Amino acid sequence: MRFSLTALFLSICFLVQGQVDSSHIIKVHFLYGSKPERKFKDSEKKYFGGMHGGHVSIQVDSVDYGFSPCGKVHIFSHRNNHHCEFKSKHTPNQNVYPKGCKVVTFFIPLTEEQYKEINKIENDYCSNVPYDYAFFGMRCAASAQDVLGQIGIVEKRKRLRNIYSTFYPKKLRKRMFKLAAEKKYTFETQNGKVTRKWEKD
């Protein structure tokens, strides 16, 4: 009897420890790739990557974190000459992207342990970026895969595999849609303006 009660107590403690805290929800924002519609080539801007471009960032509480180039984009990564920055942007009570941008945002609940870990990772990366931004290297999508993998949201992968399996945002976005269906994560979308041709899922 004593053994059964002890086993039951330990099981409850284990479940409580791994329980998702509904107060800790991160947002993974995807800006879709785009290019100007033919009729609006003179008035609309061209963006890096075009239809296979876009951006990925991870919002923790009211701070949005993203990996971006700074200066000239290297073709291959440089070990000691990084042209990049891991930026934090405070976004209290406002959208990360304005109306007119095509965006999908996934809402992911975290455990207390995951919440502490992602805060540590993001703060460390802002202080000391661990890798260069390069066309054939780590970019925003691979960086987001790296961070989410470290806290167990997606598969944790080595850097080289992150690079070739998450070469641009759509690759990670497809995984997130699949994960949302499996884990019952919620997401919301925002339509893009008609003066641009937007990437499709």
Side-chain angles (χ1 to χ4, degrees), residues 7-199:
L8 178 62
F9 175 76
L10 291 173
S11 297
I12 292 172
C13 289
F14 176 79
L15 289 171
V16 169
Q17 184 179 13
Q19 190 174 22
V20 170
D21 187 341
S22 60
S23 66
H24 298 317
I25 296 177
I26 61 170
K27 300 176 183 179
V28 183
H29 303 287
F30 286 86
L31 172 66
Y32 283 69
S34 67
K35 65 179 183 179
E37 284 284 4
R38 185 175 300 176
K39 294 180 181 179
F40 300 94
K41 285 185 176 180
D42 294 333
S43 57
E44 286 287 341
K45 294 181 180 180
K46 292 183 178 180
Y47 296 122
F48 177 72
M51 294 296 287
H52 292 300
H55 191 59
V56 188
S57 62
I58 302 172
Q59 183 177 337
V60 183
D61 298 326
S62 61
V63 182
D64 189 56
Y65 297 93
F67 184 54
S68 302
C70 183
K72 184 180 179 181
V73 175
H74 288 142
I75 301 300
F76 297 100
S77 62
H78 291 217
R79 180 173 295 180
N80 299 316
N81 182 25
H82 292 178
H83 284 188
C84 61
E85 57 185 345
F86 208 88
K87 296 190 295 186
S88 63
K89 179 182 177 182
H90 288 268
T91 57
N93 301 317
Q94 64 186 40
N95 293 330
V96 173
Y97 296 103
K99 289 183 178 180
C101 294
K102 184 177 179 180
V103 180
V104 61
T105 298
F106 295 90
F107 300 84
I108 303 176
L110 301 185
T111 64
E112 183 67 29
E113 183 179 350
Q114 287 174 316
Y115 176 72
K116 290 178 180 177
E117 183 65 17
I118 196 169
N119 272 295
K120 182 180 184 303
I121 293 168
E122 303 285 28
N123 288 328
D124 287 349
Y125 280 15
C126 284
S127 300
N128 185 20
V129 185
Y131 32 66
D132 191 20
Y133 188 106
F135 184 81
F136 293 110
M138 293 295 286
R139 295 192 283 172
C140 65
S143 180
Q145 169 79 31
D146 166 43
V147 173
L148 294 172
Q150 288 188 60
I151 64 169
I153 299 301
V154 297
E155 179 188 359
K156 186 176 181 179
R157 299 173 175 178
K158 292 184 178 180
R159 188 176 301 176
L160 182 60
R161 191 176 172 209
N162 267 344
I163 292 169
Y164 73 75
S165 68
T166 320
F167 191 64
Y168 54 94
K170 186 175 181 178
K171 299 284 189 179
L172 179 57
R173 194 170 65 242
K174 288 178 69 175
R175 288 180 210 133
M176 293 304 300
F177 274 118
K178 183 178 179 180
L179 193 62
E182 292 174 355
K183 302 288 187 179
K184 308 301 180 185
Y185 295 151
T186 59
F187 61 89
E188 64 180 21
T189 59
Q190 176 177 291
N191 293 327
K193 54 187 176 180
V194 297
T195 53
R196 301 190 69 82
K197 184 176 182 180
W198 296 93
E199 179 186 25

